[in-house]
Amino acid sequence: MFKTILPIYILFVFYSQVFSQKTTFETKNFKINQVKSNFDITDNEQFNANIINLEAPSPNGTSYKSFLLRQKEQSKKLFPYKNIVSRKSSTSTNSTKTPIVTKSFGMMHINGANQMTPIYGGLPNDNTAAISNDGILLLSMNSTVYLYDIKKDSILYPNESLTLRNAFGLSNASYFDPKVIYDNKLDRFVMVFLKDKFPSNNEIMVGFSKTNNPIDGWNVYSLPGNPLNNNRWTDFPSIALSDSSLYFTGNLIVPNVSWQVGFDGSILWEMNKFAGYNGDITIEPKLYHDIKHGDNYIRNLHCVQGADGNIENLHLFSNRNFDIQNDTIFLVSLIKENDTSRLEVNALVSNIKYGVPPNGRQVDTDTSDATEGLQTNDARILGAIQFEDQIQFVSTTLNPINGFAAIYHGVLTDLYTNPSITATIISDEVKDFGYPNLAWTGNEACDRETMIGFNHTSFVDSAGISAIYFDNEGNYSEVIELKKGEGIVDRLAGGYERWGDYFGMQRKYNEAGKVYTFGMIADYTERNYGWINEVISPDTNFIGYNFDELFDADSCRKQINLLPYGGVGPYSVEWNNDSTNTTLTSSYFAFNDSAKFTLRDTRSCNISGEAYLSDETCLTDKQNPFTLFPNPTIDILAFQFTLAEASPVEINITDSKGSLMKQFIFNQVKKGLNELSFSTEPLADGIYFIQVLTGETLLSKEKFMKQ
């Protein structure tokens, strides 16, 4: 049933740039104040009132949605459905590993009859999720917020869920399009969402959790949705965190005009996250706008997040999301140099084309009508994460081979030198896939493996949730079904039903390979709600080592031989930062010294360690007595040591912090047993060390006490 469409039907050379055109952008500084919040966790809402327009657009209209329906109709003529009569058996994949589901539960509340019932989503569902290292799971579906403690298996809000208005203590208005993120470095949450849809009242709401548990409230700020005062409003945010900043994007929409002129560019906001966490009264965010490649605005900028949390430098992705077929991917990079910032845009060419996806089919969908089914929107990028010089990203696309909605998975390599993109279309012979997101699942810093989560549906499968695993070697697992749907979605009068508009997914940063997904399923009552899955990576392979020791009692020296396991051989070693010695066996090292090493495999994964030759090892050997007496001492200390041959000797007295207190140098000391005696009266009471060296070799290091 599962099929990955590899790069076989388009053959051309990759290009790092499509064309050289002028890149433009402008910046604007703002000063905003914290919003006065009436947050009170005990003030539970008795009513969750909201008005949603349920009219489906006509394909003949002038709006963006009408234009998109016409694109889907045109795409269907060019790429008709194939193989949709009966279910076929699975095709083989190139990975035998599959993700493991360890928890699975719905977004529920307890009704008046003391029964668990679903918390139904909006239109669309807008699933977004973040989980803390302590297991606090923050979820939002459109205007509903849900807080869950994984460790205690309990819902934290007294009334199970709150609206965005009540969770943030805001005034009555329409709040929508939430995006949440967890700050792995500072153990806080951030949520960005929108208020109202008119230039006169549209705002971007930004909440920073006051503690590591959002139940303690938020510091809330409001940014203008019409920041240039030119009759625009902001739509569809994305979000990312760096070590110092919060970044989020949006689209500027012109109201009441046709789709051709209704988009007025994507914008990027930058805020000081420390000021937000601290609850500063005033924050000064920075706006980047008028972002173009050539003379054209870049649409639907999507922030790249760090695979393991925060990013170091911000990158953003975009594409030509309305096109029936296109291979251009825009990479936008925020470059900061000497207190100045600039945006750099590259138009890259992928090896495989993406395109506007068809709607997802339900059991009752008329497949002859391209405007029916579950709405997949366009081909915009919906998830992206960075690993050093690699970025992986996902979107919904058309699979031109069978005409189904599918997942577009791109991998950008050599980000800082010569970026190029290779992609794969993840598809199925029965199901439509939509609204993907992805998360890192590695157990080593060098891992590039990911989990891709998404919604699924078909004419025989109710809308549910699936995932696929992508390993370090570029292989995909079988698609696994995380949650089956229970019926169809039927809430709109005629035409399509809403599906998406995005999918919640995050790695649990302090537990290797564990990911939480949050997607949409169809309920048996013909409504939609959210479902959470805890999924574990199937990869347990990581590089490690044991070692053998060879001890030379005559010289009190040791050599170690590393015995690597795991990872992917062959292995190489660097000893004591000496790149000339790469064998698995160390040189001999002396008494009380150590051998530091870094072990690497062919994946460039590495692990570091250190082996010691302790003083106890040598003191137990009768051939090499090192004797201090009396210890503790009041005035005179005698120290006996043995030399294998006559040689110069350096003896150092250091304090407990390693500072040199006295040095004795003897040009020639005889072979055999020798004794040094000296007065300790010049030393203050405390702990000291005596070291005996011959040349660069440390023969002994002993501790004594002056009292």
Side-chain angles (χ1 to χ4, degrees):
M1 175 170 48
F2 161 71
K3 182 182 291 182
T4 57
I5 311 302
L6 296 176
I8 58 176
Y9 67 97
I10 300 173
L11 301 175
F12 50 77
V13 179
F14 305 157
Y15 296 92
S16 63
Q17 284 195 317
V18 181
F19 22 62
S20 177
Q21 291 187 330
K22 182 181 178 182
T23 298
T24 64
F25 72 96
E26 294 183 10
T27 62
K28 185 176 180 180
N29 294 321
F30 287 78
K31 184 175 289 188
I32 61 171
N33 293 328
Q34 186 177 164
V35 174
K36 185 177 180 181
S37 173
N38 296 315
F39 176 81
D40 182 358
I41 198 64
T42 63
D43 181 23
N44 299 328
E45 295 176 344
Q46 300 302 313
F47 301 94
N48 187 5
N50 193 24
I51 296 177
I52 301 173
N53 187 287
L54 301 182
E55 290 293 329
S58 165
N60 299 320
T62 61
S63 70
Y64 149 72
K65 292 181 180 178
S66 296
F67 165 68
L68 186 57
L69 291 179
R70 294 197 295 275
Q71 288 293 87
K72 290 178 185 287
E73 289 178 331
Q74 181 66 22
S75 178
K76 181 176 175 58
K77 293 177 183 178
L78 296 173
F79 305 101
Y81 289 133
K82 297 177 182 178
N83 300 329
I84 64 171
V85 177
S86 63
R87 184 181 298 276
K88 291 191 173 184
S89 60
S90 299
T91 57
S92 61
T93 60
N94 43 14
S95 176
T96 58
K97 299 176 180 179
T98 56
I100 304 160
V101 180
T102 49
K103 282 188 178 70
S104 188
F105 57 98
M107 192 168 167
M108 302 283 190
H109 69 93
I110 303 173
N111 65 14
N114 204 31
Q115 297 172 325
M116 295 295 291
T117 58
I119 298 173
Y120 292 109
L123 294 173
N125 228 54
D126 287 349
N127 300 80
T128 183
I131 186 166
S132 72
N133 291 337
D134 287 336
I136 303 299
L137 182 63
L138 176 64
L139 307 171
S140 187
M141 284 190 311
N142 211 302
S143 61
T144 303
V145 185
Y146 193 72
L147 199 58
Y148 194 86
D149 190 325
I150 292 291
K151 291 181 180 178
K152 297 179 180 178
D153 191 23
S154 62
I155 304 169
L156 297 182
Y157 285 142
N159 203 34
E160 282 89 34
S161 68
L162 300 173
T163 64
L164 286 169
R165 181 189 70 80
N166 199 45
F168 288 84
L170 301 173
S171 60
N172 285 325
S174 173
Y175 299 100
F176 60 100
D177 276 7
K179 287 290 180 73
V180 299
I181 194 169
Y182 172 66
D183 192 331
N184 183 30
K185 299 290 181 66
L186 298 179
D187 193 24
R188 298 287 187 92
F189 291 91
V190 179
M191 181 180 283
V192 174
F193 54 98
L194 305 178
K195 169 187 172 291
D196 294 324
K197 293 186 177 182
F198 298 98
S200 60
N201 58 10
N202 178 231
E203 298 176 39
I204 305 166
M205 311 304 299
V206 183
F208 298 87
S209 68
K210 293 182 178 180
T211 69
N212 61 1
N213 191 337
I215 203 168
D216 296 323
W218 300 82
N219 299 319
V220 185
Y221 300 86
S222 169
L223 283 75
N226 183 22
L228 305 177
N229 295 316
N230 59 349
N231 194 40
R232 307 292 185 261
W233 65 277
T234 299
D235 190 25
F236 207 86
S238 77
I239 187 171
L241 287 167
S242 72
D243 285 344
S244 60
S245 298
L246 164 68
Y247 297 100
F248 53 94
T249 65
N251 296 323
L252 291 181
I253 306 299
V254 185
N256 304 317
V257 296
S258 69
W259 69 269
Q260 292 95 332
V261 295
F263 171 75
D264 197 38
S266 291
I267 55 175
L268 168 67
W269 288 95
E270 179 179 7
M271 293 180 70
N272 183 316
K273 71 177 187 181
F274 295 104
Y277 294 142
N278 293 337
D280 290 4
I281 298 300
T282 301
I283 295 183
E284 298 184 12
K286 184 174 185 177
L287 174 71
Y288 301 82
H289 64 97
D290 200 40
I291 305 169
K292 295 179 179 179
H293 185 259
D295 296 327
N296 298 315
Y297 285 121
I298 296 178
R299 184 186 291 261
N300 298 315
L301 281 173
H302 187 89
C303 295
V304 178
Q305 298 183 359
D308 197 24
N310 294 353
I311 49 145
E312 182 175 352
N313 302 300
L314 179 69
H315 301 281
L316 307 106
F317 271 101
S318 180
N319 60 11
R320 302 190 191 277
N321 55 295
F322 290 148
D323 288 1
I324 294 174
Q325 289 281 269
N326 205 302
D327 53 19
T328 299
I329 306 290
F330 294 103
L331 169 66
V332 182
S333 302
L334 178 61
I335 311 298
K336 294 196 171 188
E337 297 172 338
N338 301 322
D339 297 326
T340 63
S341 301
R342 62 183 173 87
L343 291 175
E344 181 179 282
V345 181
N346 283 320
L348 308 177
V349 174
S350 174
N351 65 315
I352 288 184
K353 293 181 179 180
Y354 56 85
V356 167
N359 288 344
R361 293 154 297 143
Q362 297 196 89
V363 175
D364 65 341
T365 299
D366 179 0
T367 56
S368 66
D369 186 348
T371 67
E372 288 198 5
L374 290 174
Q375 173 63 273
T376 51
N377 288 341
D378 50 52
R380 71 186 64 184
I381 291 168
L382 296 171
I385 55 175
Q386 180 181 353
F387 311 85
E388 296 178 348
D389 66 345
Q390 181 190 104
I391 297 175
Q392 295 186 34
F393 62 95
V394 288
S395 66
T396 312
T397 187
L398 163 79
N399 176 4
I401 289 181
N402 62 10
F404 291 6
I407 305 304
Y408 190 88
H409 177 216
V411 180
L412 182 149
T413 54
D414 300 323
L415 171 63
Y416 300 108
T417 54
N418 185 30
S420 63
I421 294 173
T422 57
T424 300
I425 292 179
I426 303 168
S427 187
D428 190 88
E429 294 177 348
V430 175
K431 295 177 181 176
D432 291 302
F433 296 152
Y435 298 102
N437 204 344
L438 75 169
W440 180 44
T441 59
N443 50 35
E444 298 175 280
C446 61
D447 282 331
R448 299 294 180 263
E449 61 185 72
T450 53
M451 196 90 68
I452 303 172
F454 45 90
N455 296 329
H456 72 249
T457 188
S458 84
F459 64 99
V460 292
D461 298 279
S462 296
I465 304 166
S466 292
I468 188 171
Y469 166 71
F470 179 68
D471 69 18
N472 282 310
E473 288 71 46
N475 301 319
Y476 294 89
S477 72
E478 291 277 358
V479 171
I480 65 167
E481 190 172 58
L482 301 180
K483 174 62 179 176
K484 291 180 179 293
E486 301 165 355
I488 63 170
V489 178
D490 188 9
R491 297 180 64 183
L492 296 176
Y496 62 68
E497 299 290 334
R498 297 307 298 267
W499 193 36
D501 276 351
Y502 32 86
F503 187 97
M505 195 165 184
Q506 186 206 294
R507 171 192 178 97
K508 193 166 188 296
Y509 295 119
N510 61 340
E511 295 188 49
K514 180 177 289 187
V515 170
Y516 284 83
T517 71
F518 182 43
M520 180 195 124
I521 68 168
D523 179 54
Y524 67 92
T525 66
E526 300 185 346
R527 288 182 285 182
N528 48 289
Y529 70 105
W531 196 268
I532 304 99
N533 286 282
E534 180 186 87
V535 191
I536 306 295
S537 165
D539 181 22
T540 58
N541 183 31
F542 59 92
I543 187 171
Y545 63 87
N546 293 310
F547 55 77
D548 290 333
E549 299 181 350
L550 177 62
F551 178 61
D552 183 353
D554 290 337
S555 62
C556 192
R557 295 188 304 164
K558 185 164 68 173
Q559 184 183 60
I560 66 170
N561 181 41
L562 284 175
L563 305 172
Y565 60 82
V568 180
Y571 306 92
S572 64
V573 183
E574 183 176 296
W575 295 96
N576 293 323
N577 299 317
D578 180 7
S579 60
T580 62
N581 182 9
T582 60
T583 65
L584 295 178
T585 302
S586 75
S587 302
Y588 276 99
F589 53 98
F591 173 78
N592 233 37
D593 203 352
S594 66
K596 297 179 180 179
F597 58 87
T598 300
L599 174 68
R600 292 185 176 86
D601 70 357
T602 55
R603 303 170 301 163
S604 295
C605 295
N606 65 79
I607 185 172
S608 297
E610 189 171 6
Y612 292 90
L613 178 58
S614 65
D615 49 4
E616 289 85 359
T617 303
C618 291
L619 286 173
T620 57
D621 189 280
K622 296 180 180 179
Q623 299 295 323
N624 293 277
F626 294 86
T627 307
L628 267 172
F629 59 92
N631 190 10
T633 181
I634 298 175
D635 48 8
I636 300 295
L637 182 70
F639 176 52
Q640 293 183 350
F641 59 95
T642 300
L643 295 181
E645 57 186 24
S647 59
V649 170
E650 175 184 315
I651 298 177
N652 297 321
I653 310 299
T654 64
D655 64 14
S656 59
K657 296 180 180 179
S659 300
L660 182 65
M661 308 301 296
K662 181 62 179 177
Q663 183 178 69
F664 306 103
I665 295 178
F666 302 92
N667 293 330
Q668 192 73 3
V669 177
K670 293 182 178 180
K671 175 182 177 180
L673 182 64
N674 296 274
E675 181 177 282
L676 166 73
S677 62
F678 62 94
S679 171
T680 61
E681 287 188 4
L683 301 176
D685 292 351
I687 301 295
Y688 296 89
F689 292 88
I690 184 167
Q691 298 175 333
V692 180
L693 299 96
T694 57
E696 298 296 323
T697 302
L698 177 67
L699 294 184
S700 174
K701 182 179 179 181
E702 298 290 330
K703 180 171 67 175
F704 68 91
M705 177 180 291
K706 165 67 185 304
Q707 64 180 22

